[in-house]
């Protein structure tokens, strides 16, 4: 039926109003209630509109948040726990009243739509660390950069550089057009495949500044991320050194050769003088650039476009020069002696003789090869037999020089650059005379070294991802801009190879420093309109690239340092007040100086190639791992990737590393491996949802499924330990030495599960459980116990231990051994881990076919820092239960605490046994087991039971009988309570007090309570001589008053009192008139006799291992079992009671 509703505005509560912002002009009072069916007032509409606009404005603001404590920045997520919303806006209306109690943690979607649309991940890279450390909230400026300006041009600038201008012509001339094409194609293919993988990672969510380091660390974990991030940092730093060396080479070789400080007196000293000049000028340049970066990094960024313009103009000049050679080749003559190229840095005429007037005179060239100017002078044999010819160095694209330049011409260091297919008269072997004006090769050349020298020219593909925070649409711009830049530069490099081979003579291409063309830059000779376009353009290009490297490398190091994964780098996370990385800049300049001191561009290039290749390798690995694992969060917008492409790129990068230089590759991998292990050992623990963790989980799942197939073979058996710990009221471990003993026994091998039980209900105890787990984990770290921690909250301790024994572990990785401490205070009633829990644990391990180790006097066991210089580990082998007694000492002696202890094995011979033959058999058994131990057979002869044993047994049984009567009285009272409760159907209220004259007068609570049961089960003090008096005193002392409220009639109360008195009197008469059970007497006799034998032989042993007898099958004798074990181990310092799991754990077979 229809119902009329009246909407009444309700004023917000006081606490809700306090959370809202004050509106200008004060808060307006709420409007009066509206009439049924009336339209909302304009005031209310305007108020709701302003609130919506205010929410929209707040939603448009995006804040950067950072967490403290663990070093992991927090995400400012609009989905969960966003406290930025106004509480007043959350509770507007009652349509969602069903969810209002969860609004604080789960806000309404309607109030978050704007934030959802503008959601950006918090920056965890360089940009974040450049912010001030005062954690003030700042608004992000709207990014403006598109694909062309933000990604394409920066990548172009970083890829095109020093190698193109200074070494590409030499690589083409040495390797030939075909092999050079292969070199460039392989390198470009590697970077293209890496770019595809990088595009997939970069479009799988927001990638802050930090580039490859951020992507690798968040995809492969902090260990790989830190190792590869530092390698990428070293690569970037050495790249800066390479660019600076290129800058100095251009300056001293082609711009101002007279600026050299060190001059060469002889030609043999030219190379050494040049290296010294490079060191001096390079050091000054590094210092100058570091000052520029420190003072004004923003000016470096502004000059980047100028440097890029120089690169583009230089490339355009090269293409223009190639076109010009088709119809008007430039005039750069090359002088050849036979087929050998002559150096013309002194600009002498290319002839032996010249005409002066009507006479023929010798030229300067003659003077260089002969000892005098006369025709009868003694000259170089090759000079006399061969003619001097002159050819064009740049015949042009229309010539057929491409055919001659197809094939490689490799040579040794100091070999003369010769023209192929040029006629010459050979001479017998002659000593190399460096004073002759030939063009010599300065290094030995072969295919692999050229790959290492060339590869730095294709690096720089990360420039776009490094600027992702400044892009308008990073997930679209990064793949498009990066792949387009690689395609453009690959086309430029491949086309230049063909054009250089088609335009320039081979001897000119192999002339690295342009000595045959009057000391000009070889690539400059091809350029139009002037070689100076290339010289000046390449100078500014390399100078700008060096500045960019010195700007980016310190920020990368700062990002790694502030992530906190490498502790010793923490100091480099600090900087100036504006976040500039001062200390990181100093370290970068120092490392860059190391590259400068090498002073050879050809030697530095392979070093940085290693680091960049390793970085690219792990980018491909990250993409392949994420793709193969199919993690739910792996949803890249870039769809043109496949794990096979990533795997191919990874393989190609690895192959290129060893192709460039196998020893450099091994050194780079060793450095990365050392950093990885250091971070794993000392670094801060991070949880970044990395792929390696997912890979580990998949591998663990596969291994667990394989292990599930069956129990391990005896040869593979080792103790997989479940350690049961007791906690105090502060959730601290009572016996830390139990974890020390576990570490000594396990030595980090196998499975270790450390468990504990908290009594109670989980909903009430989860905070205590978390605290207990943290305490146990910290203690495990301090004791170096590698394993897992498991806390169980259960209604009783006994049930919790049972749950751990049954369910701890996973699949085949389950424990097969339980290690626990002996309950020293088992006689005290306030001990929650009573003797009953202990005996039940022994039974449950036996039922589960698990071994049991009980450490008595655990607080006397050694810590991991102690060392026993001497002593014995004594094994008392009474019964055979699988060989655990033999295996445990062997495992313990692997640890340095027990290493110097000797192993002794004792066994017991009965009256009818041949002790001599038993010793021989035991020695042979140990020989087959490959165990070194002393063997001794102890003979135990039967004798009469002593009075002490009889008296001890009698006291034990009398107390046991009292405890049974207490339990019986309690059960009867519970049944009586139940009958009265059913009869009255009302509230049961009664007050009674316990009488010290009779045990069991009190009525316990209706709910069962194991703690009260345990308190009632008190065992005697075995040192008490007068057992009857001691029984009454001890039991009356425990009978504390209880208050149970019931409704009783007077007659019922009187009858109940008489009944209890009669029961008590009867019980006492039975106790004092009883005789001890003969079976218990015999057991006590065995315990006393065996204890005496063990004390005689092993009282001073460092550790005694004993067979642990099982509990009685009849549960009525449980209370006596603890007394037997106490007597058996009395007087020994460190005892380990061992109970096997019912299977063989040691074998004589290999």
């Amino acid at each position: 039926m229809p119902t009329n509703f009246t909407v009444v505005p309700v004023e917000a509560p006081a606490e809700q109003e306090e959370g809202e912002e004050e509106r200008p002009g004060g808060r307006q009072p709420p409007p009066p209630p509206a009439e049924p069916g009336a339209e909302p007032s304009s005031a209310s509409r305007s108020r709701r509109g302003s609130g919506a606009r205010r929410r929209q404005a707040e939603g448009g603001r995006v804040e950067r948040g950072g967490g403290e404590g663990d070093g992991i920045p927090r995400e400012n997520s609009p989905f969960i726990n966003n406290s930025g919303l106004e509480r007043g806006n959350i509770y507007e209306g009652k349509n969602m009243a069903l969810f209002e109690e969860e609004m604080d943690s789960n806000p309404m979607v309607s109030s978050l739509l704007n934030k959802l649309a503008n959601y950006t991940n918090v920056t965890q890279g360089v940009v974040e660390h450049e912010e001030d450390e005062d954690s003030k909230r700042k608004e992000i400026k709207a990014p403006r950069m598109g694909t062309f300006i933000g990604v394409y041009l920066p990548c172009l600038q970083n890829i095109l550089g020093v190698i193109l201008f200074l070494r590409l012509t030499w690589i083409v001339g040495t390797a030939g057009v075909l092999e050079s094409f292969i070199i460039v194609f392989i390198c470009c293919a590697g970077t293209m495949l890496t770019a595809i993988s990088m595009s997939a990672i970069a479009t799988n969510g927001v990638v802050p500044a930090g580039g490859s380091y951020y992507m690798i660390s968040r995809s492969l974990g902090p260990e790989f991320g830190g190792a590869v991030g530092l390698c990428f940092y070293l690569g970037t730093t050495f790249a800066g050194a390479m660019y600076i060396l290129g800058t100095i080479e251009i300056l001293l070789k082609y711009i101002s050769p007279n600026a050299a400080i060190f001059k060469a007196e002889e030609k043999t000293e030219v190379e050494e003088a040049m290296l010294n000049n490079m060191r001096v000028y390079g050091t000054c340049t590094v210092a100058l650039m570091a000052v520029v970066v420190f003072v004004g990094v923003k000016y470096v960024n502004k000059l980047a476009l100028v440097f890029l313009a120089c690169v583009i103009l230089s490339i355009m000049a090269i293409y223009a020069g190639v076109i010009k050679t088709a119809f008007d080749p430039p005039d750069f003559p090359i002088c050849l002696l036979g087929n050998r190229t002559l150096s013309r840095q002194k600009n002498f005429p290319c002839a032996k003789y010249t005409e002066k007037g009507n006479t023929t005179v010798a030229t300067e060239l003659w003077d260089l090869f002969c000892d005098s100017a006369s025709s009868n002078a003694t000259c170089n044999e090759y000079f006399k037999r061969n003619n001097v010819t002159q050819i064009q160095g740049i015949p042009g694209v229309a010539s057929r020089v491409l055919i001659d330049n197809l094939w490689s011409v490799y040579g040794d260091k100091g070999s003369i650059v010769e023209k192929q297919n040029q006629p010459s008269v050979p001479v017998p072997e002659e000593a190399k005379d460096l004073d002759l004006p030939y063009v010599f090769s300065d290094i030995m050349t072969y295919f692999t070294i050229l790959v290492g020298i060339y590869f730095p020219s294709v690096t720089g593909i990360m420039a776009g991802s490094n600027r992702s925070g400044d892009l308008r649409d990073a997930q679209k711009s990064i793949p498009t801009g990066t792949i387009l830049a690689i395609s453009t530069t690959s086309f430029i490099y491949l086309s230049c190879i063909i054009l250089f081979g088609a335009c320039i003579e081979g001897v000119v291409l192999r002339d690295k420093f342009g000595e045959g063309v009057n000391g000009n830059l070889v690539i400059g000779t091809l350029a139009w309109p002037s070689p100076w376009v290339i010289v000046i353009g390449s100078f500014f290009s390399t100078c700008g690239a060096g500045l960019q490297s010195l700007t980016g490398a310190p920020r990368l190091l700062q990002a790694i340092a502030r992530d906190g994964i490498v502790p010793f780098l923490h100091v480099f996370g600090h900087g100036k007040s504006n976040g500039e990385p001062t200390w990181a800049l100093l370290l970068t300049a120092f490392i860059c100086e190391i590259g400068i001191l090498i002073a050879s561009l050809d030697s530095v290039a392979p070093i940085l190639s290693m680091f960049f290749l390793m970085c690219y390798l792990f980018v491909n690995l990250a993409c392949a791992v994420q793709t193969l694992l199919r993690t739910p969060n792996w949803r890249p917008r870039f769809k043109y990737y496949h794990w096979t492409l990533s795997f191919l790129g990874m393989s190609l990068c690895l192959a290129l590393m060893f192709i460039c230089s196998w020893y450099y590759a091994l050194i780079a991998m060793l450095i990365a491996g050392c950093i990885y292990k250091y971070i794993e050992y000392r670094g801060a623990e991070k949880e970044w949802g990395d792929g390696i963790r997912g890979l580990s989980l998949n591998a663990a799942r596969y291994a667990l499924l394989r292990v599930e197939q069956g129990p391990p073979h005896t040869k593979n058996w080792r103790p997989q330990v479940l350690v049961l710990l007791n906690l105090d009221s502060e959730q601290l471990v009572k016996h830390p030495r139990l974890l020390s003993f576990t570490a000594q026994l396990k030595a980090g091998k196998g499975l270790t599960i450390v468990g504990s039980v908290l009594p109670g209900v989980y909903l009430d105890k989860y905070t205590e459980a978390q605290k207990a787990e943290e305490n146990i984990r910290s203690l495990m770290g301090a004791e170096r116990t590698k394993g897992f921690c498991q806390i169980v909250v259960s209604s009783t301790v006994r049930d919790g231990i049972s749950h751990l024994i049954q369910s701890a572990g996973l699949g085949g990785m389950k424990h097969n051994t339980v290690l626990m401490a002996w309950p020293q205070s088992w006689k005290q009633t306030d001990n929650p881990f009573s003797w009953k829990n202990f005996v039940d644990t022994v039974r449950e391990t036996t039922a589960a076919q698990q071994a049991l180790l009980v450490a008595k006097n655990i607080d006397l066991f050694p810590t991991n820092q102690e060392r026993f210089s001497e002593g014995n580990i004594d094994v008392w082998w009474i019964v055979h239960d699988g060989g655990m007694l033999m295996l445990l000492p062997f495992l313990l002696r692997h640890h340095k605490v027990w290493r110097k202890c000797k192993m002794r094995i004792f066994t017991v011979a009965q009256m009818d046994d041949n002790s001599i033959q038993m010793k021989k058999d035991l020695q042979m058994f140990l020989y087959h087991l490959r165990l070194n131990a002393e063997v001794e057979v102890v003979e135990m002869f039967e004798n009469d039971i002593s009075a002490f044993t009889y008296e001890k047994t009698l006291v034990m049984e009398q107390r046991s009988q009292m405890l049974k009567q207490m339990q019986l009285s309690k059960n009867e009272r519970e049944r009586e309570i139940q009958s009265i409760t059913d009869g009255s159907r009302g509230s049961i209220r009664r007050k009674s007090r316990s009488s010290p004259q009779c045990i069991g007068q009190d009525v316990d609570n209706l709910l069962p309570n194991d703690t009260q049961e345990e308190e009632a089960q008190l065992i005697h003090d075995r040192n008490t001589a007068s057992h009857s008096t001691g029984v009454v005193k001890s039991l009356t002392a425990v009978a504390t008053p209880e208050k149970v409220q019931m409704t009783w009639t007077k007659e019922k109360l009187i009858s109940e009192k008489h009944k209890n008195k009669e029961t008590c009197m009867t019980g006492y008469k039975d106790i004092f008139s009883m005789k001890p059970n003969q079976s218990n007497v015999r057991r006590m006799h065995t315990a006393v006799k065996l204890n005496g034998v063990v004390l005689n032989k092993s009282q001073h042993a460092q550790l005694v291992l004993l067979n642990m007898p099982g509990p009685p099958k009849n549960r009525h004798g449980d209370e006596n079992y603890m007394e037997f074990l106490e007597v058996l181990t009395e007087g020994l310092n460190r005892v380990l009671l061992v109970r096997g799991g019912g299977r063989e754990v040691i074998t004589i077979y290999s």
Side-chain angles (χ1 to χ4, degrees), residues 824-1003:
Q824 296 285 356
S825 55
W826 62 273
K827 295 183 180 181
Q828 299 178 8
T829 58
D830 58 348
N831 180 25
F833 191 77
S834 67
W835 59 270
K836 188 170 181 60
N837 290 345
F838 178 82
V839 177
D840 286 341
T841 303
V842 176
R843 283 198 174 94
E844 286 171 354
T845 54
T846 304
Q849 295 184 337
Q850 296 174 3
L852 177 64
L853 308 178
V854 179
K856 190 176 181 186
N857 300 326
I858 184 62
D859 294 329
L860 299 179
F861 276 57
T863 64
N864 291 328
Q865 286 72 36
E866 296 182 38
R867 304 286 183 271
F868 288 136
S869 58
E870 58 181 0
N872 299 315
I873 300 177
D874 287 355
V875 177
W876 285 85
W877 192 20
I878 311 300
V879 295
H880 179 67
D881 55 358
M884 278 282 288
L885 284 168
M886 309 291 183
L887 187 62
L888 292 176
F890 172 76
L891 296 176
L892 280 175
R893 293 181 67 228
H894 277 76
H895 197 275
K896 43 194 171 184
V897 172
W898 306 91
R899 188 167 294 161
K900 295 184 179 180
C901 293
K902 296 180 181 179
M903 179 178 171
R904 298 192 303 180
I905 297 182
F906 297 90
T907 188
V908 178
Q910 301 297 323
M911 180 67 71
D912 299 332
D913 296 329
N914 187 343
S915 59
I916 298 176
Q917 186 62 37
M918 284 179 62
K919 184 173 182 179
K920 290 182 180 179
D921 294 341
L922 183 55
Q923 288 175 338
M924 182 59 64
F925 180 60
L926 292 177
Y927 175 78
H928 288 307
L929 289 177
R930 290 90 65 200
L931 296 176
N932 296 322
E934 298 180 12
V935 175
E936 186 171 346
V937 178
V938 179
E939 296 180 348
M940 285 183 62
F941 300 105
E942 294 184 3
N943 53 7
D944 295 335
I945 298 174
S946 63
F948 171 76
T949 303
Y950 191 88
E951 180 79 8
K952 207 171 186 63
T953 309
L954 183 61
V955 172
M956 178 184 69
E957 291 193 355
Q958 286 176 346
R959 290 180 178 269
S960 175
Q961 187 65 25
M962 284 188 179
L963 293 175
K964 289 180 181 178
Q965 289 188 5
M966 290 170 59
Q967 185 69 26
L968 180 62
S969 175
K970 179 178 178 180
N971 293 337
E972 290 177 352
R973 292 197 304 274
E974 287 178 351
R975 287 196 296 271
E976 184 68 25
I977 292 170
Q978 186 64 37
S979 63
I980 295 173
T981 304
D982 294 339
S984 61
R985 296 182 180 272
S987 60
I988 303 175
R989 299 185 179 276
R990 170 178 173 245
K991 295 182 180 180
S992 66
R993 295 185 178 179
S994 300
S995 174
Q997 299 174 357
C998 182
I999 307 301
Q1001 292 283 344
D1002 303 326
V1003 181

Side-chain angles (χ1 to χ4, degrees), residues 196-198 200-201 219-220 618-628 634 636 641-643 646:
I196 293 173
S197 299
M198 184 196 70
I201 298 174
S219 297
L220 295 180
F618 281 100
V619 169
N620 286 291
L621 175 63
C623 182
V625 167
Q626 298 279 23
T627 306
L628 289 174
W634 180 246
Y641 71 94
H642 195 267
W643 69 267
S646 300

Side-chain angles (χ1 to χ4, degrees), residues 354-361:
T354 185
E355 296 289 337
K356 284 191 177 180
N358 294 325
T359 56
T360 302
V361 296

Side-chain angles (χ1 to χ4, degrees), residues 170 411-415 441-445 449 453 512 600 602:
W170 173 72
D412 295 330
K413 181 179 181 179
S415 60
S441 176
D442 64 331
I443 63 172
M444 185 172 65
T445 54
I449 195 173
I453 293 173
K512 182 186 290 186
S600 173
D602 299 326

Side-chain angles (χ1 to χ4, degrees), residues 683-836:
E685 294 183 0
K686 301 288 183 180
E687 178 52 63
W688 287 332
D690 51 87
I692 292 298
R693 183 175 178 83
L695 190 62
S696 301
L697 290 174
N698 271 15
R701 170 184 167 275
Y702 175 77
L704 285 173
L705 291 176
R706 292 290 301 272
V707 174
E708 185 74 18
Q709 293 176 0
H713 192 272
T714 304
K715 293 184 290 185
N716 297 326
W717 193 95
R718 67 166 57 246
Q720 318 286 3
V721 182
L722 168 64
V723 186
L724 297 178
L725 295 179
N726 293 336
L727 304 176
D728 58 16
S729 58
E730 299 295 328
Q731 313 307 332
L732 298 174
V733 178
K734 285 186 178 179
H735 304 294
R737 299 288 179 91
L738 203 59
L739 287 180
S740 303
F741 183 71
T742 305
Q744 296 160 19
L745 179 64
K746 299 289 293 178
K749 303 295 190 297
L751 174 69
T752 301
I753 302 174
V754 181
S756 186
V757 178
L758 295 180
V761 181
Y762 182 70
L763 291 177
D764 301 330
K765 293 282 188 176
Y766 69 91
T767 304
E768 288 86 343
Q770 291 178 348
K771 181 180 177 182
E773 185 172 356
E774 291 176 1
N775 294 337
I776 292 177
R777 287 188 184 279
S778 63
L779 183 61
M780 290 173 67
E783 298 292 342
R784 296 185 179 180
T785 304
K786 297 180 180 179
F788 308 97
C789 178
Q790 190 167 351
I791 304 295
V792 172
V793 180
S794 180
S795 57
T796 63
V797 174
R798 187 177 66 185
D799 289 344
I801 293 176
S802 179
H803 296 158
L804 279 174
I805 292 175
Q806 295 178 61
S807 61
L810 179 63
M813 285 296 288
K814 291 181 67 67
H815 61 279
N816 54 29
T817 305
V818 177
L819 173 62
M820 60 194 298
W822 171 264
Q824 296 285 356
S825 55
W826 62 273
K827 295 183 180 181
Q828 299 178 8
T829 58
D830 58 348
N831 180 25
F833 191 77
S834 67
W835 59 270
K836 188 170 181 60

